[in-house]
């Protein structure tokens, strides 16, 4: 195209109007002021221009022939073509060029700097990128970890190795597990065991100096002040009751503990953890010990998985689920989902990306509604290994624990497909345990006998696409 170049002599265009010849000056001005003056812009005046520009019309802007090449009709406008040519952030293009400019990144699997490419980072699934050994707090034992997604805060509880009235513990929080952990609560004569958060509320399950009575230690202001557990109602007194806890969570107005009571899988729940009583519910009556092993929740459903301790109780390996903790619970038997499931098979489950996913032996089962299940076989994991399955922002994390004569180790594996059908392995085995480890937010924190513990960061990473004939680039910014 070329521009119109006028001489600036005031005569580059001609104008024509059909106003009557007897129009007065006043009428003329009034028509101009009212926007009713009729005229046509005439053709260019060759005497007033030095270059005639390209005309702006259908033929030069978007002809019917060109529109048809893009599958568009005669009513199409140039903007329709421009929208089709636009490549949104996250688009992948193949090319033989070795460089596509700073708006495109080579798909080589590298981590993405979220501060430089925030929109791309939000689209990508995080994968393990680095491992740092950290210490949380001052006491010897890391008991539990949780993540408050609403506040983007991590919470941990520690305790010492003392007994009786010398027991001590602390609650810590941070926005960056590799950074500074701030102590927001300390307790004496009690050990903290489990922690859960919701909004500004923090609830820690503690047991007393004798290790017998379990109570709740509560903060309603994000750790600024704490209740006195001496004043809290007993949840369970193990001196007179046969029961214990394995897990703790929050769901839809209730704080829920899972464990066993007199051989049967049971939950304890309350809507008021600071001063309210806890209600015990037996999920099913069993003659040999079965326990609530793990919780997982979606926006509408709370579910738990049951583990068994003796061979004749294999049919009680189940998932129980409900939309109302205080109401009825439904269940599904794991041996009806998995093939050849042994009673002592290690299991783990989690909800993520619209699916409930359970791993047992070398199989993965998944369901969108907890009633209709599909099975994936041949997952590369030893059948007898302990494992923990987690989910973070589109990525499934599998902790695979192996106990050996020389050392205990954990392998971190991950999958970015939903449901997870295959896992890649990150790095080498790390010292630690599955029990006590947590997959929370952007980190996998692996518990160990002693400090330091391994903290594996999950960061958005570029796809890794390799070819000997071309390059693959992803649109990183506009």
């Amino acid at each position: 195209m070329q521009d119109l170049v006028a001489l600036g002599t005031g005569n580059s265009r001609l104008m024509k109007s059909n106003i009557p010849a007897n129009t007065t000056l006043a009428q003329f001005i009034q028509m101009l002021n009212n926007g009713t003056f009729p005229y046509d812009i005439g053709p260019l005046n060759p005497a007033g221009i030095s270059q005639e520009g390209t005309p702006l019309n259908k033929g030069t802007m978007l002809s019917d022939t060109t529109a048809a090449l893009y599958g568009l009709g005669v009513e199409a406008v140039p903007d329709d073509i421009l929208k089709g040519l636009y490549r949104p952030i996250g688009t992948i293009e193949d090319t033989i060029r070795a460089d596509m400019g700073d708006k495109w990144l080579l798909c080589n699997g590298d981590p993405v700097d979220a501060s430089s490419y925030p929109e791309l980072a939000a689209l990508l699934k995080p994968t393990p990128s680095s491992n740092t050994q950290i210490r949380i707090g001052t006491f010897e034992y890391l008991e539990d970890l949780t993540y408050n997604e609403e506040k983007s805060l991590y919470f941990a509880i520690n305790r010492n190795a003392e007994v009786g009235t010398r027991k001590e513990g602390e609650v810590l929080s941070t926005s960056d597990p590799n950074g500074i952990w701030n102590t927001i609560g300390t307790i004496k004569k009690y050990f903290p065991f489990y922690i859960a958060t919701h909004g500004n509320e923090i609830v820690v399950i503690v047991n007393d100096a004798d290790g017998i009575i379990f109570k709740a230690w509560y903060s309603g202001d994000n750790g600024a002040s704490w209740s006195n557990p001496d004043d809290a109602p007993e949840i369970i007194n193990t001196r007179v009751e046969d029961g214990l806890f394995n897990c703790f969570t929050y769901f839809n107005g209730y704080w829920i503990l899972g464990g066993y009571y007199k051989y049967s899988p049971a939950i304890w729940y309350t809507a008021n953890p600071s001063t309210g009583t806890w209600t015990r519910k037996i999920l099913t009556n069993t003659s040999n010990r079965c326990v609530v092993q793990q919780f997982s929740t979606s926006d509408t459903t709370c579910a738990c998985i049951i583990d068994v301790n003796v061979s004749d109780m294999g049919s009680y390996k189940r998932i129980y689920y409900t939309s109302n903790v205080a109401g009825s619970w439904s269940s599904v038997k794991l041996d009806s989902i998995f093939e050849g499931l042994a009673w002592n098979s290690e299991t783990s489950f989690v909800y993520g990306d619209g699916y409930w996913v359970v791993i047992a032996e070398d199989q993965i089962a998944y369901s969108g509604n907890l009633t209709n299940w599909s099975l994936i076989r041949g997952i590369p994991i030893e059948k007898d290994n302990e494992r923990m399955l987690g989910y973070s922002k589109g990525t499934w994390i599998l902790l695979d624990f192996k106990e050996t004569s020389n050392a205990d180790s954990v392998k971190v594996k991950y999958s970015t497909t939903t449901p997870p059908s295959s896992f890649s392995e990150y790095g080498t085995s790390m010292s630690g345990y599955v029990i006590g480890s947590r997959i929370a937010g952007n980190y996998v924190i692996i518990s160990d006998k002693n400090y330091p513990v391994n903290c594996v960061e999950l960061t958005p990473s570029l796809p890794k696409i390799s070819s000997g004939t071309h390059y693959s680039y992803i649109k990183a910014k506009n």
Side-chain angles (χ1 to χ4, degrees):
M1 298 182 71
Q2 63 181 13
D3 292 330
L4 166 68
V5 180
L7 294 175
T9 54
N11 62 339
S12 63
R13 283 191 178 274
L14 302 175
M15 187 177 73
K16 184 177 182 180
S17 178
N18 66 349
I19 62 173
N22 60 351
T23 301
T24 66
L25 178 59
Q27 291 171 328
F28 177 82
I29 294 174
Q30 186 176 17
M31 283 189 287
L32 290 176
N33 290 339
N34 293 341
T36 59
F37 182 81
Y39 74 99
D40 291 330
I41 296 179
L44 294 173
N45 180 14
I49 62 173
S50 62
Q51 176 177 286
E52 183 176 349
T54 302
L56 301 181
N57 55 41
K58 185 178 181 68
T60 61
M61 299 298 291
L62 180 59
S63 70
D64 292 343
T65 301
T66 301
L69 295 176
Y70 290 88
L72 300 174
V74 297
E75 73 284 351
V77 296
D79 188 59
D80 296 329
I81 300 293
L82 295 175
K83 285 186 290 188
L85 294 175
Y86 172 69
R87 294 294 178 261
I89 292 172
T91 300
I92 294 177
E93 297 277 7
D94 292 336
T95 179
I96 59 173
R97 294 169 55 188
D99 186 4
M100 288 184 65
D102 63 355
K103 294 183 179 181
W104 295 78
L105 297 177
L106 182 65
C107 294
N108 58 6
D110 284 354
V112 172
D113 182 359
S115 61
S116 299
Y117 305 100
E119 293 178 76
L120 178 62
L123 294 174
L124 295 172
K125 297 178 179 181
T127 58
S129 62
S130 63
N131 177 39
T132 306
Q133 291 193 315
I134 64 172
R135 182 180 181 90
I136 303 172
T138 58
F139 293 125
E140 292 95 325
Y141 296 106
L142 172 64
E143 283 295 328
D144 197 12
L145 287 152
T146 191
Y147 178 65
N148 187 316
E149 189 168 356
E150 178 186 348
K151 295 185 174 296
S152 299
L153 286 175
Y154 299 82
F155 294 86
I157 49 176
N158 268 0
R159 67 174 179 86
N160 64 11
E162 298 292 341
V163 297
T165 57
R166 297 192 300 274
K167 288 182 174 180
E168 289 186 65
E170 60 185 349
V171 183
L172 306 104
S173 71
T174 186
S175 59
D176 177 11
N178 286 324
I180 297 174
W181 286 80
N182 300 302
T183 301
I184 60 173
T186 58
I187 191 170
K188 295 187 177 182
K189 301 187 299 181
Y190 289 89
F191 272 166
F193 274 94
Y194 299 102
I195 184 171
T197 68
H198 174 70
N200 289 323
E201 294 181 286
I202 307 170
V203 179
V204 180
I205 304 302
V206 299
N207 78 343
D208 65 355
D210 297 323
I212 293 172
I213 297 173
F214 286 81
K215 296 184 174 184
W217 184 32
Y218 174 81
S219 173
D221 50 17
N222 214 38
S225 61
W226 291 86
S227 65
N228 184 349
D230 290 342
D231 302 328
E234 294 181 2
I235 306 174
I236 192 171
N237 184 334
T238 59
R239 176 172 288 157
V240 296
E241 298 176 284
D242 179 19
L244 205 59
F245 309 128
N246 267 14
C247 46
F248 184 37
T249 193
Y250 172 89
F251 173 74
N252 199 22
Y254 289 100
W255 305 85
I256 319 160
L257 281 158
Y260 71 86
Y261 183 79
K262 294 182 178 179
Y263 298 108
S264 297
I267 63 167
W268 290 255
Y269 62 89
T270 184
N272 182 8
S274 59
T275 58
T277 57
W278 292 72
T279 300
R280 182 181 63 245
K281 178 188 285 287
I282 305 297
L283 295 179
T284 184
N285 287 297
T286 58
S287 58
N288 282 298
R289 186 165 294 163
C290 300
V291 301
V292 175
Q293 174 189 350
Q294 184 185 358
F295 285 114
S296 189
T297 62
S298 69
D299 290 339
T300 59
T301 303
C302 177
C304 61
I305 196 166
I306 307 301
D307 197 15
V308 301
N309 293 331
V310 291
S311 59
D312 62 350
M313 303 299 291
S315 64
Y316 287 94
K317 290 178 80 74
R318 303 176 183 177
I319 292 175
Y320 280 81
Y321 59 95
T322 185
S323 59
N324 178 14
V325 172
S328 61
W329 290 62
S330 302
S331 68
V332 57
K333 293 183 178 181
L334 294 186
D335 61 6
S336 69
I337 302 172
F338 290 92
E339 294 180 353
L341 183 67
W343 70 270
N344 58 349
S345 295
E346 296 289 342
T347 58
S348 183
F349 87 131
V350 71
Y351 176 83
D353 203 15
Y355 287 94
W356 301 89
V357 178
V358 188
I359 186 167
E361 299 187 350
D362 60 348
Q363 304 168 49
I364 278 182
Y366 61 94
S367 173
N369 55 16
L370 289 167
T371 56
N372 301 310
W373 292 84
S374 299
L375 192 63
I376 301 173
R377 304 165 186 83
I379 301 300
I381 181 173
E382 293 187 42
K383 290 186 177 182
D384 296 332
N385 284 11
E386 292 183 17
R387 73 286 308 272
M388 174 186 289
L389 186 64
Y391 177 82
S392 174
K393 302 178 181 178
T395 301
W396 304 87
I397 303 295
L398 176 63
L399 300 185
D400 185 5
F401 170 76
K402 181 71 172 179
E403 184 177 4
T404 67
S405 58
N406 298 323
D408 299 325
S409 63
V410 172
K411 290 182 178 179
V412 178
K413 302 178 179 181
Y414 64 95
S415 175
T416 56
T417 60
T418 297
S421 56
S422 62
F423 287 86
S424 301
E425 187 170 319
Y426 166 72
T428 58
S429 297
M430 307 172 195
S431 175
Y433 299 94
V434 167
I435 297 174
S437 297
R438 289 293 180 269
I439 300 162
N442 294 326
Y443 291 88
V444 180
I445 301 176
I446 300 172
S447 179
D448 204 349
K449 291 179 181 178
N450 301 297
Y451 279 112
V453 298
N454 289 291
C455 181
V456 179
E457 185 173 3
L458 306 175
T459 59
S461 298
L462 295 167
K464 190 171 185 178
I465 305 173
S466 59
S467 171
T469 59
H470 62 269
Y471 302 96
S472 294
Y473 286 85
I474 189 168
K475 180 76 173 290
K477 61 183 179 180
N478 290 318

